[in-house]
Structure formats: C-alpha cells, structure tokens
Amino acid sequence: MPKVPSPPQDPGSLRFRNQLLTLSVGPTKYENPGLLDEALAVIPLDRVYGDAEDESQLLQAQAASIGPNVKPQWGYQDCVIRALLKWFKRTFFTFVNNPPCPVCAAPTVAQGMAPPSPDESARGAARVEMYRCSANDCQALERFPRYGDVWTLLQTRRGRCGEWANCFSMLCRAVGGRVRWVWNAEDHVWTEVYSEQQKRWIHVDACEEAWDNPRLYTEGWGKKMSYVIAFSAEGATDVTRRYVRDASKHGVDRNRCPEEVLVWITDEIKKLRRENLGKEDRRRLIMEDHREEKELRGYVVQALAAEMGRINLSGQPSSPGDDQKIPARVSGSQAWREARGEAGNRSPERNRRPSREGH
C-alpha cells in the first residue's frame, strides 16, 4: 500500500530531515554554467565522443542483426557516459589510501584528524586527515584535506569515494547527462545517470568503473545498507530497493524516521527543486516518478518470487538463476576494504562499522 506522507515531529526525524536537506544542495551546484565550462575543458572530448560513437555503431549493428525492429541496448548518450567512465577511472582520477610523503615519497601512517585551514575550508574541506612519513630519517607530516568543492577536485584529481562521485557526477552533467548523486547511510556515495534509451536511472560507480550493476554493494562487497537516497537538481528519491534486493540478508534497520516521514521529506525536496519549472517539465518528472516507483516495487516482487523459488520440489536449495557477475570491491587497499566490511566473502567482519577514513 502507498504510504501517506507525514511531516517530521520527533527530534530524530527532524535531524534526519535537516541532514537530507543539506545533502540535497550538492547536486544543484552541477548546474553552474561556469563550472560546467571548466569541466568540459579537462575532458578529452574527441576521445570520449569517438569511443562513444564506435560503441554506439557496434550496438546498432548488433541490434540490426537480431531484427529490423530491435533497439540497441544503449543509446548514444549512454555510450558517452560509458566512455567518460572509462577515461575517468583509468586516466583522470586517483584513489588515495594513505597519501605518499610530500618530501621523500615514502608511505605514510595515519595520525588522526585536524581542523581545516581557512584556505582548505574555502575549498569545501570539512575535515583534514593527518599522515606522518614512515621513514625514520624523514617523519614529515602530510595533510589530506577532504575537499568537497568540485572545481578544486578538477585540480587535485584525487580522493576516495566522496571525491570520485562528486567530480564524476559533475563531469557527466557537463557532457549533457541527467545526473543523480547517490548517498548511502553506511558511508558510500556514487552516481546515477538517466538513460533515455531505457527510460530509467542507471547505476554508475566511478571508483569501480561499474555500470548498471546496483547489486554490486550487497552481493559483491557484502555490504549491508539501510538508506540509499538519490539527489539531483530535480529532487530526491529513496532508491534503497534498487540496491538492497533482499532486505532480510542485506538490509539494516531503518530507524532514523518512520517511513511515512521519509516520503514526506523526499516530497518536500522535490517540491523545492521543481517549484520554478514549467508545467510540462513538472508533468514529465511526475510521470518519471511513477515509472520509477513501478520499477522499485518490481524489485520487491522479484525478491519474493526468488525466495519462494529457492526451495525446489525435492526440498533442496535451487540456484539463484542470475548469471550477472557481481564482483568484489576493487578500489582501496585490501586492509581498508576489510576495515569497512566491503571486501566481499573475504571480509573477516561483514558488519563492521566503516573506518574513520570514510568515503
């Protein structure tokens, strides 16, 4: 049954509302024309568009070989984002575990946190991680500000999941994609882009070079998740059902507010973001909302059907019947992945809290 939205009243619900409202502001910055121009200036457009054209033509040829009325799996704009993803992961951005020593380039050891300097704060750093060189004859300190300003990230080109998702999402917007920045309460963030070809939102994780693999985190990494909220310049949507297909296995208690309150909060953010849109744009987005809600409900039905079909007539467990490859996490060091409980079946503590060196 559809939930009736209810405004937040208790302190916990009000805190969660304030948190989501704050998070919802981030993707609105991707609409800054000057920032988008800066982003386009760093992208090798000839390479990206050339790779996209090659893949698009291949997909069209494959579809034509099947039949005259068969559409390619992905459209040209999808191929642009896929080419951008490949370039971003393999060439442009660097994942940081512990930054190297700035003096001798030796490995460093974490020393705790420090407040940001005024300059670091101005560039969106809310916190700074401190590291000391491991070489006995050096012992230099290195600051690692966790920058949130996208223009700064275009210059530094390094970070962890937060920096990767923030910068990549903005670059997707720069090449014409409709973009969501996706937040998970268990300390991970990623991107969704809208596919006009498939009329749905597509999961994209730049850290993993992952495309349309939303079960990656729960079934590949062994991650348990409570809330997954997608934010864009057009609103906010609770997309947890897309990423947590089996809540009994991979879910975490959703206790930050009643479910009816969460619906009210996401509706509030949608109204706030869409209030200046024209009538036709608002109508189009409402139709998309309905289509997405049908998709998300479908995942619940699929999970129930899979559970019912898991026991065959002989009473023995049957195979899942899903041949999609769900890889373990590849970004970050093995020790860091294990500390966060994101190393898949190799993780010694699957439910461990995220490490302090967060996304």
Side-chain angles (χ1 to χ4, degrees), residues 3-276:
K3 298 180 177 64
V4 178
S6 176
Q9 296 180 342
D10 62 275
S13 295
L14 290 168
R15 283 195 299 272
F16 196 38
R17 171 185 177 267
N18 290 338
Q19 181 183 15
L20 296 184
L21 283 171
T22 299
L23 292 171
S24 75
V25 174
T28 64
K29 299 176 183 178
Y30 304 153
E31 305 302 308
N32 183 318
L35 186 58
L36 295 177
D37 287 343
E38 292 283 350
L40 285 174
V42 304
I43 300 172
L45 295 175
D46 288 345
R47 171 181 169 182
V48 169
Y49 289 139
D51 289 350
E53 182 64 29
D54 290 345
E55 183 182 30
S56 180
Q57 290 183 3
L58 177 61
L59 292 172
Q60 291 177 34
Q62 290 174 344
S65 70
I66 299 173
N69 297 319
V70 178
K71 293 198 312 180
Q73 181 181 15
W74 305 109
Y76 174 72
Q77 182 60 29
D78 301 327
C79 294
V80 170
I81 301 298
R82 286 163 61 87
L84 183 72
L85 172 65
K86 179 179 177 180
W87 164 80
F88 188 89
K89 166 69 174 180
R90 302 184 187 186
T91 304
F92 186 71
F93 227 71
T94 300
F95 196 94
V96 174
N97 291 301
N98 289 18
C101 174
V103 177
C104 68
T108 59
V109 179
Q111 298 294 301
M113 309 295 287
S117 68
D119 177 67
E120 291 165 341
S121 294
R123 293 191 282 172
R127 66 188 192 277
V128 176
E129 298 172 7
M130 298 299 297
Y131 295 85
R132 185 178 295 279
C133 179
S134 60
N136 291 331
D137 58 348
C138 182
Q139 296 288 296
L141 284 174
E142 168 70 340
R143 299 173 65 86
F144 179 39
R146 303 302 306 277
Y147 289 121
D149 176 69
V150 185
W151 186 87
T152 298
L153 296 178
L154 291 176
Q155 318 306 315
T156 63
R157 304 183 184 186
R158 69 173 192 167
R160 299 198 194 102
C161 317
E163 291 91 341
W164 279 68
N166 194 10
C167 191
F168 179 73
S169 297
M170 192 268 299
L171 292 178
C172 288
R173 188 73 189 103
V175 297
R178 289 177 58 199
V179 176
R180 283 171 166 177
W181 177 81
V182 186
W183 170 84
N184 165 233
E186 285 67 47
D187 197 35
H188 190 50
V189 287
W190 59 90
T191 305
E192 286 184 348
V193 294
Y194 190 77
S195 170
E196 290 291 346
Q197 184 81 353
Q198 297 208 9
K199 301 299 182 186
R200 64 183 177 91
W201 288 94
I202 307 297
H203 157 253
V204 190
D205 191 321
C207 285
E208 306 296 292
E209 201 178 328
W211 172 270
D212 197 25
N213 194 358
R215 292 159 47 214
L216 171 69
Y217 310 114
T218 56
E219 298 176 40
W221 296 9
K223 190 176 181 69
K224 294 193 173 187
M225 301 194 290
S226 55
Y227 297 96
V228 183
I229 313 294
F231 299 98
S232 74
E234 299 160 341
T237 303
D238 178 5
V239 294
T240 308
R241 288 169 288 175
R242 178 174 294 131
Y243 296 93
V244 182
R245 302 295 177 86
D246 189 338
S248 64
K249 287 184 178 180
H250 305 123
V252 178
D253 289 343
R254 290 162 59 97
N255 51 20
R256 300 199 183 189
C257 71
E259 295 299 319
E260 295 79 6
V261 171
L262 180 56
V263 174
W264 190 93
I265 296 170
T266 54
D267 284 351
E268 178 188 22
I269 296 172
K270 286 176 183 174
K271 291 175 183 176
L272 180 64
R273 298 287 172 251
R274 300 176 184 182
E275 61 184 356
N276 295 322

